[in-house]
Amino acid sequence: MNRFGGITRRSALMPSLILRNQQQIKNKMIHTSKRCLSKEDLYFFDKLPGEGHQPQKGVEKIFGPLRAERFAKSLYPVLATPEDVFDVAIVGGGIVGLATAREILNRYPEKTVVVLEKEDHVAAHQTGHNSGVIHAGLYYEPGSRMAHTCVRGAELMYKYCEDNDLPAERCGKLIVACNEEEHAQVEKLYKQGTANGVKDLEIIYKDEIKKLEPNVDAYSALNSPNTGITNFWLVSQCLANDIRQSGRGDVKLSFEVLKVNEIEEDRRVLIKGREPGQNGPHLSVQAKNVITCGGFYSDRLSKITGGNSAKHKIVTFRGTYYQLKPEYRTIVSRNIYPVPSGGGIPVGVHFTPTVDVRRGHQMIVGPGACITFSREGYKFFDFKLKDVLDFATNKPFWEFVLQNFSLSLGELYRDLFKFAFLKSGQRIIPNLKGDMVEPSFTGVMSQVFEPGGVAAGDYILERKCLNGLALNLRNAPSPAATGALAIGEMLVDAAAEDFNWK
């Protein structure tokens, strides 16, 4: 009998949890506006409404069996605050993080995995705002991680889309040289792609180009028939569903990771976070190991996982897209790209057909590559002081700007003025007019610069952080979406070695 005349009830279902909760709050005082109450002054119900149910099919259908089970069995009464425990936590719900989680689940049938994503849906940034091109592997240094994962990843991506009945088309690509001077780039890409194992490449000239694409005016082109298109946002939704429905994986959305600490006595990692823009509730997850695939924020995640955040600082660039109006969208039938413009950042304004379930079947034109003043700077005037200070103090970035000043200024100019943007496209399709296009979406890409002002030409792994418990992917620009499934393989290979997975 308590002091209010009621009987303090004990749960018939979970008596040990009630007793443990009582031990946790023993001797603690509860403050009110009038006086301090001891625990004995208050009556506690066994649980809140909705707690203690069996796993519900509706929750399982949306979030998967693991979330449904853990949600149903969450500890009560309300003062108990358990942490979810997993074998591996993946920070970042873009296509690379999701592919890595899927690879772990497929390769290690006993492991549990959670993906922690800051936004309220997966693939919110780079994965969901790009051209949707499945690259063949032409632009990357032979022997590099980029070259290997792009070529292998493209085939894995086509296979994944086929197995899951997702839209993917090998529509091909022409990389065009507008004059004889640019032809050297076509030959270079041919040799590089061949060395990387890209199949069926051929160099063609003006007359052959006109047969394939009558509206394109070019001196020569590299024809890449195995380049294709898909919807990486949709692929990511499918990957997230694979993870949830495995019964051993979960995808936690609106979970912005703020702290990552080692629990020394358990050799585990405690990850704390909360919903972006909110003061609470505070969220936490425990895992034996953590792998970060943080995109825009990979350097900041490195800092909180004990890595060297002074190196490989992120700079973000905005890419604006236009699209051809419906009556003009079939003026080309494949991807049409210019030869690379140099500097290691933009591949130039190009024409790309899309199979995008959100935006429809379009012919998009773009993107540029303009510096942003916010890491999520989808508009020119988006501004965040912390982000500006980061790139303003980034010496390798400014070395790049000085070495490529006209390119950098030109990208800024194209971002601001439609006519300047379209002028780049008119080099390839002279009859392109301003009234033939309309605004489309905007994307943001992240890039690391190396000392000397060189854009990092390969993926960068930071290994054995947090006393050997963490692995960080520090640089993953294009073609990371194409290569995501192969990058997942690469990261799991590294994790198995670093974390002694058997």
Side-chain angles (χ1 to χ4, degrees), residues 63-134:
F63 291 102
L66 186 62
R67 174 78 73 89
E69 181 182 0
R70 292 189 177 187
F71 179 72
K73 293 183 178 180
S74 63
L75 299 183
Y76 57 80
V78 70
L79 290 179
T81 55
E83 285 110 2
D84 276 342
V85 179
F86 298 85
D87 290 305
V88 188
I90 308 291
V91 181
I95 194 169
V96 173
L98 295 166
T100 302
R102 174 182 175 270
E103 180 66 19
I104 293 170
L105 292 169
N106 287 347
R107 199 183 299 190
Y108 296 96
E110 76 288 353
K111 289 193 182 298
T112 56
V113 180
V114 64
V115 177
L116 306 175
E117 168 54 41
K118 177 173 76 77
E119 307 298 347
D120 62 6
H121 59 287
V122 298
H125 291 297
Q126 294 183 95
T127 304
H129 297 84
N130 61 56
S131 301
V133 175
I134 301 177

Side-chain angles (χ1 to χ4, degrees), residues 8-18 45-47 76:
T8 303
R9 293 176 291 171
R10 304 245 176 144
S11 169
L13 293 174
M14 302 180 71
S16 63
L17 295 178
I18 300 297
F45 290 93
D46 291 345
K47 57 185 179 181
Y76 57 80

Side-chain angles (χ1 to χ4, degrees), residues 244-287:
R244 287 169 168 150
Q245 297 305 321
S246 71
R248 294 177 289 113
D250 197 2
V251 180
K252 292 182 178 290
L253 304 173
S254 299
F255 192 125
E256 182 177 15
V257 172
L258 302 175
K259 291 183 180 180
V260 180
N261 300 114
E262 180 186 0
I263 306 173
E264 294 184 4
E265 59 270 24
D266 294 331
R267 285 288 291 165
R268 284 183 178 178
V269 177
L270 175 62
I271 304 170
K272 295 183 178 181
R274 63 172 176 262
E275 183 179 351
Q278 302 295 326
N279 295 323
H282 295 285
L283 308 170
S284 59
V285 161
Q286 288 188 24

Side-chain angles (χ1 to χ4, degrees), residues 388-425:
V388 172
L389 290 175
D390 269 351
F391 83 72
T393 57
N394 186 334
K395 183 180 176 182
F397 166 68
W398 288 109
E399 291 173 333
F400 167 83
V401 170
L402 291 175
Q403 293 169 21
N404 300 275
F405 187 74
S406 61
L407 174 65
S408 303
L409 196 62
E411 291 297 330
L412 181 65
Y413 188 61
R414 273 189 288 273
D415 190 71
L416 285 172
F417 299 104
K418 177 182 175 181
F419 74 88
F421 186 96
L422 291 179
K423 191 174 181 180
S424 298

